[in-house]
């Protein structure tokens, strides 16, 4: 074996029921290099990282750290072998000082007494090495996100990390903080730390990385030297697959009337978004996770506060302050997180379907149960919800059928604009296809749809136009004849930020 | 494999216990007390149990609503005390007509309930703390108004509410049956009753479904205040004397009865008709312990154990289901 390889993954396979998250992935990480890991949402990057840290155990394969072979890791073992991860969500305690955070869980002690002085001293040493100016006595909650990240890095170094895995480290940072991060990575590299750098932003990959590995659909596609490749090649490798024709054909029913127009909408992490949706159209929202698609739809649905800008709906200016108001206007939102936001698991199917219209089908506050059963059995038929009866609790249904119940709940309120946020996430192929057919049927009936999806194929296959967001801003609008995965990904990984 | 099977058997048993256990427990208690006390099965005593349980039953409807919503109302006991004192003061000291005195007292308790709900919904304070603070405030107010001494001397007509009979059925029992019927009606028939379950089961999904969650919270705590007020009036009429400690500790009996009746402490699950059984258990237990001459300090210990058992069973059962 080559001496300069510090971490080797051999034939790693991880299967979940019905899904292969990692398929026979092998990867060599050289000592002292910055190795970038790129791939679309759900390509398997995180799963790969988790096998290195022991958060998950692979079904097959081996992990070799500096010549020591393991069939699976556990967090302690991983740390003992010098592997540390900086997650997107920091594991810091705001109310404790920087030094205390760095030594959290392995405090320096004198008998049973914590040796604060020593911890401060040691922390200072790490910061001196990195030439960073942070007072170890400061409380972590008073630091900016950028400095908190440095504390995380210092914490890893205090444990003698040799391999530092950084999961989307640039995501929470501002432009100026980003510069510090780059400098930090350079410094760590100089000190001989090996870095695995995961990022959606390809410019960073070229700025920092020595080599880059592309992961797609749980497989390793290729490892390249960064100075022998370019952005276009990487995007091609990330996308790679041909579009399969798995989408039902649709008769175009787009009318000239504008149903909804957003002008300079700002709020909830979304900045200055302007767009129009025509009646009968399917407008796709593309972008990476955290790009602000869900946040934008929440503004329209009255679930978050609009700071500035306006919404013009059916020719009138509206500003829904609650979902209740939005529903009255005829807007519906099928939320992203089915179990948390969509269904009421302990309530039966008919109760779920009628939830948004209960008041409408009540007279003198008493629910008209016959109508409730009529409506819900109607949707059970229309949506093909597989269940022995309507009295089943929703928690007993499969994911696909639960999703149909959520959609049925919204259709029952007879909306004109339906926002579908990741409507096919985590459901099987058959149910997916049914939902696609339903979307077609709805636009044929004159309804308008906003489709948020992280699945490129779905977005391209179902949308009439695609609007791409990145970091809370609209970065591109594609007409049907311009659709391509490359273009969407290009807009989605734009790193232009507003100057701060 | 064998382990899994065993777990499944336990789970099924728990579900059955949840469904029928309460009735079995009630029957066991009745058999136990009738074996240990000759007076227990006496028709007069049985009617007495029903009458004693009536205040518990009335307040339990409000507490059931609150628990369904995922909240709790610890101020019920103090609301009863305050209503006791206000009603008593208005009739005995201000010479007010009983009907007006009742209406004013109920308005006060209803408003207090609304305020609890408003604070919980808008300030986002935990219901436990909000109603615990109310408990203390209202108890203090009751003492301030009464000066710590009992108030008595009400018009003769007022005693009908707590002491009267229609045929052989005590009036308070009739009031309880009416309130419970209203409670069951709200939960089973009205759209806002359905909202209680929805909000208690998943607040975020409910709000996204267009339910005005705040309004639901106002309503539920307001109703809890109203029902506590009615229980307070019944108590005042029964004892014929307004006391600042009339409802002290009552909220825990109510809580025990409701949780015994299968309403989940974390919300979203429960039925009024099972609460009836929970109320009867508490009534039988109190009565039986007195008949057996059990020391009142021991009675406290036993009641506390029952509360712990009821909540413990609910929590454990949910844990087993969740780890499915």
């Amino acid at each position: 074996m080559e001496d300069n390889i510090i971490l080797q993954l051999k034939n790693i396979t991880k299967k979940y029921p019905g899904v292969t998250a990692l398929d026979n992935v092998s990867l060599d990480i050289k000592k002292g290099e910055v190795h970038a890991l790129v791939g679309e949402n759900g390509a398997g990057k995180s799963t790969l990282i988790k096998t290195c840290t022991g958060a998950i155990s692979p079904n097959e394969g081996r992990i070799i750290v500096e010549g020591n072979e393991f069939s699976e890791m556990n967090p302690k073992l991983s740390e003992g072998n010098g592997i540390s991860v900086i997650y997107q969500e920091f594991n810091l305690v705001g109310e404790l000082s920087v030094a205390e955070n760095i030594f959290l869980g392995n405090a320096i002690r004198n008998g049973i007494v914590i040796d604060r002085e020593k911890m401060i001293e040691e922390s200072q040493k790490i910061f001196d090495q990195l030439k960073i100016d942070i007072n170890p006595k400061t409380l972590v909650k008073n630091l900016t996100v950028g400095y908190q990240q440095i504390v995380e890095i210092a914490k890893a170094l205090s444990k003698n990390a040799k391999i530092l895995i950084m999961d989307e480290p640039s995501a929470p940072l501002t432009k100026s903080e980003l510069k510090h991060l780059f400098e930090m990575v350079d410094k760590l590299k100089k000190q001989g730390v090996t870095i695995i750098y995961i990022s959606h932003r390809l410019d960073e990959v070229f700025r920092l990385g020595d080599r880059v590995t592309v992961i797609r659909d749980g497989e390793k596609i290729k490892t390249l030297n960064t100075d022998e490749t370019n952005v276009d090649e990487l995007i091609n490798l990330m996308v790679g697959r041909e579009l399969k024709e798995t989408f039902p054909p649709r008769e175009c029913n787009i009318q000239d009337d504008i149903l909804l127009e957003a002008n300079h909408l700002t709020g909830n992490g979304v900045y200055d978004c302007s767009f129009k949706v025509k009646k009968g159209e399917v407008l796709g929202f593309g972008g990476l996770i955290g790009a602000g698609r869900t946040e934008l739809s929440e503004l329209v649905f009255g679930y978050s506060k609009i700071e500035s800008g306006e919404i013009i709906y059916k020719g009138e200016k509206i500003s829904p302050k609650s979902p209740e108001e939005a529903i009255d206007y005829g807007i519906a939102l099928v939320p992203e997180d089915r179990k948390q936001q969509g269904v009421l698991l302990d309530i039966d199917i008919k109760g779920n379907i009628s939830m948004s219209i209960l008041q409408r089908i009540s007279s003198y506050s008493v629910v008209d149960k016959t109508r409730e059963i009529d409506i819900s059995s109607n949707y059970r038929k229309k949506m093909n919800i597989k269940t022995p009866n309507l009295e089943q609790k929703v928690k007993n249904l499969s994911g696909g059928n639960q999703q149909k119940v959520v959609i049925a709940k919204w259709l029952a309120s007879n909306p004109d604009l339906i926002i579908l946020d990741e409507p096919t996430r985590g459901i099987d192929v058959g149910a997916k296809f049914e939902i696609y057919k339903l979307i077609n049927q709805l636009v044929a009936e004159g309804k308008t749809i906003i489709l948020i999806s992280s699945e490129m194929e779905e977005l391209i296959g179902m949308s009439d136009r695609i609007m791409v967001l990145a970091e809370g801003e609209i970065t591109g609008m594609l007409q049907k004849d311009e659709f391509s995965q490359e273009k969407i990904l290009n807009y989605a990984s734009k790193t232009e930020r507003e100057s701060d | 494999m064998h382990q899994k099977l065993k777990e499944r058997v336990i789970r099924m048993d728990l579900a059955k216990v949840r469904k029928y256990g309460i009735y079995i427990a009630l029957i066991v208690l009745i058999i136990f007390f009738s074996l240990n006390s000759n007076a227990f099965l006496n028709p007069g005593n049985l009617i007495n149990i029903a009458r004693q349980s009536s205040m518990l039953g009335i307040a339990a409807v409000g507490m059931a609503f609150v628990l369904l919503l995922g909240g709790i109302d610890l101020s019920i006991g103090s609301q009863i005390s305050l209503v006791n004192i206000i009603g008593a003061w208005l009739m005995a000291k201000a010479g007010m007509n009983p009907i007006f005195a009742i209406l004013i007292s109920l308005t006060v308790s209803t408003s207090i309930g609304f305020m609890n709900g408003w604070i919980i919904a808008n300030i986002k304070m935990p219901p436990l703390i909000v109603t615990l603070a109310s408990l203390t405030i209202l108890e203090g107010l009751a003492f301030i108004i009464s000066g710590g001494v009992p108030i008595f001397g009400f018009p003769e007509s007022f005693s009908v509410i707590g002491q009267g009979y229609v045929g052989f059925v005590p009036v308070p029992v009739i009031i309880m049956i009416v309130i419970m019927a209203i409670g069951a009606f709200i939960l089973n028939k009205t759209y806002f009753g359905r909202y209680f379950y929805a909000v208690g089961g998943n607040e975020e999904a409910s709000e996204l479904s267009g339910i005005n969650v705040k309004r639901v919270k106002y309503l539920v705590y307001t109703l809890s205040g109203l029902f506590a007020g009615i229980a307070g009036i019944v108590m005042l009429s029964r004892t014929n004397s307004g006391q600042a400690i009339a409802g002290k500790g009552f909220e825990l009996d109510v809580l025990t009865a409701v949780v015994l009746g299968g309403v989940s402490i974390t919300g979203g699950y429960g039925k009024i008709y099972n609460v009836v059984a929970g109320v009867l258990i508490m009534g039988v237990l109190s009565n039986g312990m007195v008949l057996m001459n059990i020391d009142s300090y021991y009675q406290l210990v036993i009641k506390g154990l029952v509360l712990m058992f009821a909540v413990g069973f609910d929590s454990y059962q949910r844990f087993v289901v969740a780890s499915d």
Side-chain angles (χ1 to χ4, degrees):
Chain A
M1 194 189 299
E2 291 170 74
D3 271 347
N4 65 342
I5 294 199
I6 187 164
L7 171 69
Q8 196 176 21
L9 302 178
K10 270 194 161 169
N11 311 99
I12 301 281
T13 296
K14 176 70 191 175
K15 286 185 177 138
Y16 291 106
V19 202
T20 305
L22 290 173
D23 191 3
N24 205 17
V25 174
S26 297
L27 188 63
D28 295 337
I29 306 290
K30 288 184 193 161
K31 196 167 182 164
E33 75 168 336
V34 176
H35 195 114
L37 218 50
V38 298
E40 282 187 279
N41 291 337
K45 292 168 298 189
S46 299
T47 317
L48 194 62
I49 294 315
K50 283 182 188 156
T51 53
C52 296
T53 60
I56 60 173
S57 308
N59 300 101
E60 286 163 40
R62 280 165 302 152
I63 301 153
I64 305 160
V65 191
E66 294 185 298
N68 301 317
E69 214 173 296
F70 304 96
S71 64
E72 62 178 304
M73 278 294 190
N74 62 52
K76 200 126 212 171
L77 200 60
S78 164
E79 200 181 291
N81 279 282
I83 301 176
S84 269
V85 189
I86 313 293
Y87 290 104
Q88 289 179 53
E89 304 283 331
F90 303 147
N91 290 313
L92 296 174
V93 183
E95 296 294 335
L96 292 181
S97 74
V98 168
E100 284 167 318
N101 265 287
I102 290 177
F103 291 99
L104 196 65
N106 53 47
I108 302 174
R109 288 174 305 181
N110 247 336
I112 58 160
V113 184
I114 286 175
D115 190 342
R116 239 179 222 121
E117 291 306 313
K118 183 93 195 230
M119 295 203 300
I120 291 170
E121 205 177 288
E122 290 291 320
S123 309
Q124 193 60 53
K125 252 189 231 165
I126 297 172
F127 291 134
D128 287 346
Q129 253 174 39
L130 298 170
K131 296 193 182 65
I132 292 283
D133 186 25
I134 298 180
N135 183 350
K137 291 181 207 163
T138 317
L139 291 189
V140 161
K141 66 172 180 188
N142 296 329
L143 298 176
T144 63
V145 176
Y147 278 111
Q148 290 187 0
Q149 191 170 57
I150 291 170
V151 174
E152 278 277 13
I153 294 172
K155 193 164 137 190
L157 294 180
S158 79
K159 292 175 188 160
N160 297 317
K162 286 178 266 184
I163 303 168
L164 192 60
I165 301 171
M166 303 175 91
D167 190 3
E168 297 277 356
S170 59
L173 303 184
T174 65
K175 206 170 186 174
S176 58
E177 287 174 334
L178 203 57
K179 231 171 69 192
H180 289 302
L181 173 67
F182 291 169
E183 286 166 15
M184 178 66 76
V185 172
D186 289 338
K187 281 178 200 164
L188 290 171
K189 192 178 157 189
K190 246 179 231 149
Q191 290 188 13
V193 179
T194 307
I195 293 170
I196 301 176
Y197 192 96
I198 302 172
S199 182
H200 283 308
R201 300 191 182 129
L202 297 180
D203 54 343
E204 291 173 16
V205 169
F206 286 98
R207 159 73 177 77
L208 296 170
D210 298 305
R211 293 196 301 160
V212 51
T213 295
V214 180
I215 311 264
R216 186 215 309 154
D217 297 337
E219 287 176 53
K220 180 183 125 176
I221 302 304
K222 210 171 185 179
T223 300
L224 298 150
N225 290 325
T226 43
D227 47 15
E228 289 165 14
T229 180
N230 55 46
V231 174
D232 286 340
E233 186 183 9
L234 285 188
I235 285 184
N236 263 321
L237 290 172
M238 280 161 72
V239 174
R241 62 197 116 99
E242 292 299 305
L243 278 187
K244 284 161 268 158
E245 268 302 326
T246 51
F247 298 94
R250 165 172 2 131
E251 284 169 44
C252 197
N253 189 26
I254 305 176
Q255 296 157 31
D256 287 334
D257 317 355
I258 306 268
L259 181 74
L260 178 118
E261 182 178 346
N263 290 323
H264 309 289
L265 269 191
T266 298
N268 197 24
V270 175
Y271 308 99
D272 198 27
C273 285
S274 301
F275 63 92
K276 289 173 187 167
V277 200
K278 285 180 188 161
K279 218 165 168 255
E281 184 180 34
V282 179
L283 175 66
F285 279 9
L288 303 168
I289 289 166
R293 298 166 298 170
T294 300
E295 289 74 8
L296 178 57
S297 65
E298 284 174 356
L299 287 182
V300 175
F301 193 56
Y303 195 51
S304 292
K305 207 170 156 242
I306 298 172
E307 281 163 24
S308 64
E310 57 172 15
I311 300 170
I312 296 172
Y313 179 74
K314 294 181 180 169
E316 271 172 57
K317 198 181 154 189
I318 63 164
S319 52
K321 281 172 205 68
S322 67
E324 193 186 14
E325 279 183 44
I327 292 164
D328 285 340
Y329 288 124
I331 302 174
L333 175 104
V334 175
E336 183 178 10
D337 188 336
R338 184 168 58 237
K339 286 209 162 80
Q340 277 303 312
Q341 306 174 311
V343 283
L344 294 151
L345 291 169
D346 276 317
I347 291 178
D348 61 10
I349 294 173
K350 63 176 164 50
N352 265 278
I353 292 180
S354 61
M355 195 52 75
S356 68
I357 50 159
L358 268 184
Q359 205 167 344
R360 277 189 227 170
I361 58 169
S362 299
S363 47
Y364 301 105
S365 295
V366 176
V367 178
D368 183 343
K369 289 198 177 167
T370 331
R371 266 189 82 190
E372 185 187 17
I373 290 168
D374 277 354
I375 291 169
S376 44
S377 58
N378 200 358
Y379 279 106
R380 173 190 175 184
K381 224 180 288 158
K382 182 171 176 179
M383 314 265 316
N384 195 17
I385 298 168
K386 291 180 194 78
T387 171
N389 55 55
L390 290 165
E391 283 74 33
Q392 273 298 316
K393 283 191 179 177
V394 165
K395 68 175 167 198
N396 298 330
L397 298 180
S398 71
N401 281 305
Q402 288 183 359
Q403 186 69 343
K404 287 181 195 169
V405 170
V406 182
I407 296 177
K409 170 173 82 182
W410 286 113
L411 295 184
S413 74
N414 197 23
D416 299 309
L417 174 66
I418 304 162
I419 304 169
L420 300 168
D421 194 351
E422 305 283 0
T424 64
R425 175 175 290 170
I427 66 178
D428 64 84
V429 183
K432 267 186 184 179
F433 195 75
E434 286 181 76
I435 287 179
Y436 297 147
K437 278 202 298 200
L438 182 77
I439 291 177
N440 286 350
Q441 196 185 332
L442 290 171
V443 286
E445 289 168 14
K447 312 246 184 236
T448 307
I449 304 228
I450 290 179
L451 174 68
I452 302 177
S453 177
S454 291
E455 274 186 51
M456 290 273 194
E457 297 181 33
E458 179 173 297
L459 207 55
I460 291 175
M462 294 306 300
S463 306
D464 294 311
R465 281 185 306 150
I466 296 175
M467 182 172 109
V468 185
L469 285 98
E471 327 226 331
E473 290 176 68
I474 297 171
T475 50
M477 178 71 90
L478 297 165
Q479 302 299 325
K480 189 131 202 159
D481 51 3
E482 304 174 294
F483 285 180
S484 78
Q485 303 190 57
E486 289 80 0
K487 273 190 187 144
I488 295 172
L489 209 53
N490 232 323
Y491 282 128
S493 42
K494 274 211 173 158
T495 54
E496 286 305 317
R497 287 152 200 262
E498 50 174 1
S499 47
D500 25 305
Chain B
M1 198 63 215
H2 181 68
Q3 186 65 21
K4 276 225 172 101
L5 199 71
K6 214 165 128 190
E7 277 171 18
R8 186 168 299 166
V9 171
I10 290 173
R11 216 168 0 254
M12 273 168 51
D13 282 355
L14 280 172
K16 263 194 201 136
V17 169
R18 173 154 217 164
K19 215 168 177 180
Y20 306 113
I22 177 88
Y23 300 102
I24 296 168
L26 181 58
I27 291 165
V28 168
L29 264 187
I30 290 173
I31 293 173
F32 175 79
F33 284 126
S34 52
L35 291 178
N36 283 284
S37 159
N38 293 328
F40 184 79
L41 278 183
N42 190 315
N45 187 52
L46 291 182
I47 287 177
N48 201 20
I49 291 176
R51 204 175 55 193
Q52 283 172 341
S53 308
S54 59
M55 291 159 292
L56 197 65
I58 294 166
V61 176
M63 183 69 100
F65 286 178
V66 174
L67 283 191
L68 275 180
L69 196 70
I72 195 164
D73 189 351
L74 294 183
S75 70
I76 287 177
S78 286
Q79 295 206 38
I80 288 175
S81 299
L82 188 64
V83 160
N84 236 267
I85 291 300
I86 291 178
W89 190 88
L90 289 174
M91 286 185 290
K93 305 269 172 174
M96 194 181 267
N97 175 305
I99 294 191
F100 290 122
I102 291 171
L103 286 179
I104 292 176
S105 307
L106 292 185
T107 309
V108 170
S109 71
T110 309
S111 315
I112 292 167
F114 175 80
M115 271 181 328
N116 280 336
W118 191 91
I119 294 170
I120 289 161
N122 288 288
I123 315 281
K124 315 275 176 205
M125 249 170 96
L128 184 84
I129 305 298
V130 174
T131 56
L132 192 60
S134 298
L135 179 156
T136 314
I137 296 168
L138 302 181
E139 191 180 0
L141 286 177
F143 274 111
I144 291 169
I145 297 172
S146 67
V149 286
I151 304 172
F152 43 84
F154 314 139
E156 185 61 37
S157 58
F158 181 67
S159 63
V160 172
I161 298 171
Q163 299 172 24
Y165 285 86
V166 174
F168 66 94
V169 188
V171 173
V173 174
I174 295 173
I175 296 176
M176 173 181 78
I177 291 171
V178 169
I179 299 283
M180 287 203 146
I182 292 174
F185 178 82
I186 289 176
L187 287 183
N188 297 324
K189 300 283 180 188
T190 67
Y191 71 87
F192 50 88
R194 297 273 204 92
Y195 288 175
F196 300 173
Y197 289 101
V199 174
N202 186 337
E203 195 169 321
E204 193 179 6
S206 302
E207 186 163 8
L208 281 167
S209 301
I211 297 174
N212 189 327
V213 171
K214 276 187 189 174
R215 213 183 291 154
V216 173
K217 286 185 178 172
Y218 300 159
L219 178 65
V220 162
Y221 284 93
T222 305
L223 285 174
S224 177
L226 172 65
F227 294 148
I230 295 173
I233 293 293
V234 171
M235 190 181 280
L236 180 63
S237 167
R238 212 170 78 85
T239 56
N240 238 330
S241 142
Q243 307 211 23
I245 52 159
K248 197 168 176 59
F250 198 71
E251 61 279 343
L252 292 185
D253 286 359
V254 177
L255 181 66
T256 311
V258 173
V259 179
L260 274 177
V263 178
S264 175
I265 194 94
T266 53
Y269 185 86
K271 294 269 180 232
I272 286 288
Y273 59 79
N274 285 332
V275 171
V276 176
V279 168
L280 287 178
I281 284 190
M282 291 304 286
V284 166
L285 192 63
S286 298
N287 177 275
M289 288 195 298
V290 171
L291 288 183
M292 279 178 69
N293 268 325
I294 295 177
D295 182 279
S296 67
Y297 299 147
Y298 283 95
Q299 290 189 24
L300 276 180
V301 173
I302 291 169
K303 279 184 181 174
L305 286 173
V306 173
L307 174 60
M308 195 174 280
F309 168 79
V311 176
F313 178 77
D314 175 55
S315 305
Y316 179 71
Q317 200 249 191
R318 215 164 345 95
F319 163 75
V320 171
V321 171
S323 57
D324 194 354

